[in-house]
Amino acid sequence: MSVLQQHVEIERLLTLKSDHELKRMGKMFATNNNKYFYDTGTGKVLLLDQDSYEIMDALFNRSEIKSIDDLKEVLNGRAIEKFGLAVAEEKLFRAFKPDKLYTLGHYEDLERQVNSEFRQLILELTGRCNLRCGYCIYNEDCDLNRNFNDDDMTIEVAKAAIDYTAQHTKEKAAVTFYGGEPLLRFDLLKWSIEYSLDIMSGKALSFSLTTNLTLVTKDIAEYLAAVPNLSVVCSLDGPEYVQNSYRKYSNGYGSFSKAIRGLELLCEAFKNSRNVLSINAVFAPPYSQQKLDDINSFFQKLTFLPKGIDINITYAAKGSIPDTKLSIEEVPKDEQNMINPLWDWMTDQIKQHPSIREEENTIYAALVEKILIDVENRFVADEPSEFYPFNGCCVPGARRLYVNTKGDLYICERVGNSPSIGNIFDGIDFGRIHNFYVEDYSRGTIENCKNCWAIRLCSTCYIDSYTESGFHRENKRKQCSSQKKSILEDLVFYHAVRETSPEKLEFLKNARVF
């Protein structure tokens, strides 16, 4: 490439800068040891030498830099020419500006996937729950979702949903049980499993449920252990003082003693089973590093837990804890000043230990592995693609289908109040899928997405972006700053681990990607 052509590349970047288009093209970030650039168009991450960093910094952050001559006041011409050559060879700063989000599955292939590649049925067996957890999205104080109710699913609805699954899945099918607390309807759960095994005997069939553990008996545990390919997510926040501060009965009593007994029964029953247990813990105010140490130590010392069990810890859903119940110091720190106590604690733990999976179970291993897998398997190409996916949204009605107690169909159990996409007796309404979850989502989010450097890395999905009447633009927009901060943290973390402890990434060779 001639010097003239290299200068053309630099002039192109200066034009992008003057047109306010440069910052959507990528993001600079730094570890303690190195500086990097993530390129939006190709997904590449490039290690920057000092000259390249100074040129990048001038382009991105110095408003007075408007010409090549201005750049030459920062660095000599040879460094600038070398930089222009690298930009051209790596095809950097060429991200297309989309006018809509697009995947084949959301458009041309939508009906085929929904009709023949459906994967996971989620049955809301009941709207009842025997607990009233302080951060639950179904509480009367929380407007993110429906309130608890006394509705129970009938056998007729469950049968119709399972029949639908048998007709619309291929070789594999998954059936998940949800509530409320699904074990309040253990009778229907058991019937649904037996019926599914009967009519889908030729498929690779799996089952799962989430339980607060308090209703688990020896008989229930042994039955679940005997069901082929069944997994149970156990909701347990940690030691007694942590568990009982939020996970309470309606009379205010804590649930720890019954929950820990239920977990022990499940672990005992699953000891000789190939079925899987995992734990979901919620980290709720007041936040402290000591609290995280206590939670971690608690799970490490539970000797009856299987080694290597996934323990996932997350914050309570935003808006699930009413402000009236929080003192000012208990308002989440990451909402006050973008400090993330869970992240800070987790990354510090990784630095202190020789491997991610220790001999003892930890609350950070599963989350850390997911972050590293997501960065490792990001979109990377030699040249930019003109298509940008629907953030982290799955194909509605194909990846999963949530059937409530009345038989109404929704795209996911986690989305909350949102438009239905049909009824199990009448079938899928493709018009509603297209209008609400394809066109409205793309139109409502594209103005922000098309100018965002993180558009290809964004994991935001339909969750929290809807009300019963449809897409809520402001709700979606509110997620953007925290999402970009999280993505940047993940990029820094991944590359810091790769620099200092590459052996900790060996597990990525065998990691399963979903």
Side-chain angles (χ1 to χ4, degrees), residues 110-112 114-115 396 421 428-435:
L110 175 65
E111 291 199 24
R112 187 194 66 79
V114 171
N115 285 328
I421 58 170
I428 295 285
D429 188 328
F430 284 99
R432 291 177 69 84
I433 291 180
H434 184 77
N435 291 337

Side-chain angles (χ1 to χ4, degrees), residues 4-68:
L4 177 61
Q5 289 173 308
Q6 292 165 15
H7 275 222
V8 168
E9 282 295 305
I10 302 299
E11 291 287 1
R12 185 175 66 82
L13 298 186
L14 289 165
T15 300
L16 288 172
K17 177 181 172 69
S18 66
D19 291 343
H20 305 289
E21 291 284 302
L22 190 65
K23 289 191 176 181
R24 74 173 182 86
M25 293 287 175
K27 185 72 174 177
M28 289 192 297
F29 64 93
T31 64
N32 289 335
N33 301 315
N34 288 302
K35 296 178 176 66
Y36 296 89
F37 175 70
Y38 166 77
D39 182 65
T40 304
T42 63
K44 297 173 184 175
V45 172
L46 291 99
L47 178 65
L48 302 179
D49 60 22
Q50 188 60 31
D51 288 348
S52 295
Y53 169 73
E54 291 185 20
I55 294 171
M56 287 269 200
D57 183 61
L59 289 169
F60 275 91
N61 301 317
R62 295 178 57 175
S63 58
E64 73 275 15
I65 302 297
K66 297 178 180 178
S67 68
I68 292 180

Side-chain angles (χ1 to χ4, degrees), residues 359-395:
E359 285 298 312
E360 297 173 309
N361 293 313
T362 67
I363 61 174
Y364 57 81
L367 179 57
V368 167
E369 288 177 351
K370 182 183 183 308
I371 289 168
L372 296 173
I373 289 169
D374 286 348
V375 177
E376 174 81 5
N377 291 287
R378 71 189 184 278
F379 168 88
V380 181
D382 184 54
E383 297 187 12
S385 167
E386 62 183 299
F387 298 118
Y388 295 88
F390 272 65
N391 303 146
C393 300
C394 59
V395 177

Side-chain angles (χ1 to χ4, degrees), residues 15-16 30 63-64 103 130 141 171 173 189 211 237 248 259 286 296 315 321 336 369 414 472 478 499:
T15 300
L16 288 172
S63 58
E64 73 275 15
T103 68
N130 61 327
D141 293 329
E171 295 86 4
L189 183 151
T211 176
D237 289 349
K248 301 178 181 182
N296 196 52
Y315 291 110
I321 304 174
Q336 290 181 29
E369 288 177 351
R414 300 172 60 211
H472 196 286
K478 286 178 180 178
E499 289 170 358

Side-chain angles (χ1 to χ4, degrees), residues 243-289:
Q243 172 81 0
N244 286 349
S245 62
Y246 281 90
R247 290 193 183 272
K248 301 178 181 182
Y249 292 94
S250 57
N251 60 11
Y253 289 118
S255 63
F256 178 81
S257 59
K258 288 192 175 179
I260 198 69
R261 176 59 178 157
L263 180 60
E264 194 167 4
L265 288 170
L266 283 170
C267 288
E268 178 63 28
F270 277 52
K271 219 166 27 177
N272 298 315
S273 169
R274 298 180 67 182
N275 290 349
V276 176
L277 297 176
S278 61
I279 294 173
N280 184 59
V282 175
F283 184 44
Y287 298 125
S288 72
Q289 301 294 300

Side-chain angles (χ1 to χ4, degrees), residues 10 55 68 71-72 75-84:
I10 302 299
I55 294 171
I68 292 180
L71 274 178
K72 287 180 178 178
L75 279 173
N76 62 55
R78 183 173 294 278
I80 295 170
E81 291 164 9
K82 180 182 175 185
F83 179 79

Side-chain angles (χ1 to χ4, degrees), residues 188-433:
L188 184 58
L189 183 151
K190 186 175 179 180
W191 182 91
S192 299
I193 289 174
E194 303 300 330
Y195 184 64
S196 298
L197 288 169
D198 181 38
I199 70 164
M200 290 189 277
S201 59
K203 298 180 188 287
L205 191 58
S206 62
F207 302 94
S208 61
L209 68 142
T210 299
T211 176
N212 63 36
L213 296 167
T214 60
L215 299 177
V216 175
T217 64
K218 186 173 184 290
D219 287 344
I220 288 175
E222 289 177 351
Y223 174 79
L224 295 176
V227 174
N229 300 313
L230 180 140
S231 61
V232 180
V233 179
C234 306
S235 297
L236 184 71
D237 289 349
E240 187 167 5
Y241 86 90
V242 175
Q243 172 81 0
N244 286 349
S245 62
Y246 281 90
R247 290 193 183 272
K248 301 178 181 182
Y249 292 94
S250 57
N251 60 11
Y253 289 118
S255 63
F256 178 81
S257 59
K258 288 192 175 179
I260 198 69
R261 176 59 178 157
L263 180 60
E264 194 167 4
L265 288 170
L266 283 170
C267 288
E268 178 63 28
F270 277 52
K271 219 166 27 177
N272 298 315
S273 169
R274 298 180 67 182
N275 290 349
V276 176
L277 297 176
S278 61
I279 294 173
N280 184 59
V282 175
F283 184 44
Y287 298 125
S288 72
Q289 301 294 300
Q290 183 59 55
K291 190 175 185 179
L292 286 165
D293 286 338
D294 291 347
I295 295 169
N296 196 52
S297 177
F298 168 77
F299 285 114
Q300 285 182 320
K301 291 177 180 178
L302 284 184
T303 55
F304 59 79
L305 282 183
K307 288 199 185 319
I309 186 172
D310 275 352
I311 306 171
N312 296 284
I313 184 164
T314 60
Y315 291 110
K318 285 188 178 180
S320 62
I321 304 174
D323 292 341
T324 55
K325 292 186 178 180
L326 296 175
S327 65
I328 192 68
E329 63 270 15
E330 289 176 328
V331 173
K333 288 183 179 179
D334 58 336
E335 293 179 16
Q336 290 181 29
N337 54 17
M338 300 303 283
I339 293 174
N340 185 335
L342 179 55
W343 174 266
D344 293 341
W345 179 86
M346 180 190 73
T347 50
D348 186 57
Q349 293 296 309
I350 294 300
K351 292 175 187 175
Q352 294 179 31
H353 295 89
S355 62
I356 296 171
R357 290 277 178 178
E358 298 286 282
E359 285 298 312
E360 297 173 309
N361 293 313
T362 67
I363 61 174
Y364 57 81
L367 179 57
V368 167
E369 288 177 351
K370 182 183 183 308
I371 289 168
L372 296 173
I373 289 169
D374 286 348
V375 177
E376 174 81 5
N377 291 287
R378 71 189 184 278
F379 168 88
V380 181
D382 184 54
E383 297 187 12
S385 167
E386 62 183 299
F387 298 118
Y388 295 88
F390 272 65
N391 303 146
C393 300
C394 59
V395 177
R399 168 63 182 84
R400 55 179 60 183
L401 191 64
Y402 181 53
V403 185
N404 74 3
T405 54
K406 300 178 186 302
D408 295 322
L409 306 179
Y410 296 87
I411 62 170
C412 177
E413 80 282 8
R414 300 172 60 211
V415 171
N417 292 323
S418 57
S420 165
I421 58 170
N423 183 276
I424 197 61
F425 297 107
D426 302 322
I428 295 285
D429 188 328
F430 284 99
R432 291 177 69 84
I433 291 180

